[in-house]
């Protein structure tokens, strides 16, 4: 894993890209960030359970349908750890959120 990260860093440097910090998705799980985010959403009444899955009530915010965040087998959907990551950014003082496959700048 360390060798792959080193290669990625070299590729990014070749393109002039530099990160102040980065997160491994696995750290969001091992640090309990994903579970903490789930608990906060449940406690705030922003979720409901249906067919053994946990859903996020996103239609109240203009979404066309509610989104499932934890599957009936207990695993999280792809987007949910990203939500936990954005919470960590907010806690670190970032004021804007951007999730894109394109290069972005995030205001702090």
């Amino acid at each position: 894993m360390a060798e792959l990260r080193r290669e990625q860093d070299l590729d990014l440097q070749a393109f002039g890209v530099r990160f102040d910090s980065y997160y491994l998705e696995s750290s969001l799980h091992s640090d309990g960030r994903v579970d903490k985010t789930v608990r906060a959403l449940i406690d705030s009444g922003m979720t409901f359970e249906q067919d053994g899955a946990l859903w996020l009530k996103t239609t109240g915010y203009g979404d066309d349908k509610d989104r499932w965040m934890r599957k009936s087998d207990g695993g999280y959907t792809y987007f949910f750890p990203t939500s936990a990551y954005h919470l960590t950014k907010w806690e670190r003082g970032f004021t804007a959120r951007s999730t894109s496959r394109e290069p972005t700048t995030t205001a702090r």
Side-chain angles (χ1 to χ4, degrees):
M1 177 64 102
E3 180 60 24
L4 288 174
R5 280 292 311 132
R6 189 184 76 71
E7 288 179 18
Q8 289 172 339
D9 286 339
L10 291 173
D11 289 343
L12 291 168
Q13 287 173 11
F15 287 106
V17 176
R18 186 184 69 79
F19 289 95
D20 294 331
S21 63
Y22 65 91
Y23 268 80
L24 295 176
E25 182 178 334
S26 60
S27 74
L28 296 169
H29 292 277
S30 64
D31 293 347
R33 292 282 191 182
V34 172
D35 291 333
K36 177 183 172 185
T37 303
V38 169
R39 177 58 38 211
L41 289 168
I42 291 171
D43 291 348
S44 70
M46 295 299 305
T47 64
F48 65 95
E49 289 195 42
Q50 182 178 328
D51 301 325
L54 187 64
W55 294 75
L56 188 60
K57 297 176 182 178
T58 56
T59 53
Y61 296 93
D63 202 350
D64 62 333
K65 61 183 177 181
D66 292 322
R67 305 292 171 164
W68 48 293
M69 49 190 256
R70 188 173 58 213
K71 302 177 280 187
S72 59
D73 69 2
Y76 291 105
T77 60
Y78 179 76
F79 98 93
F80 194 72
T82 302
S83 300
Y85 170 70
H86 285 299
L87 179 59
T88 69
K89 287 178 65 173
W90 178 75
E91 290 170 345
R92 290 182 285 139
F94 288 86
T95 58
R97 177 191 60 80
S98 177
T99 301
S100 174
R101 298 192 192 284
E102 301 297 321
T104 60
T105 301
T106 305
R108 192 170 217 192

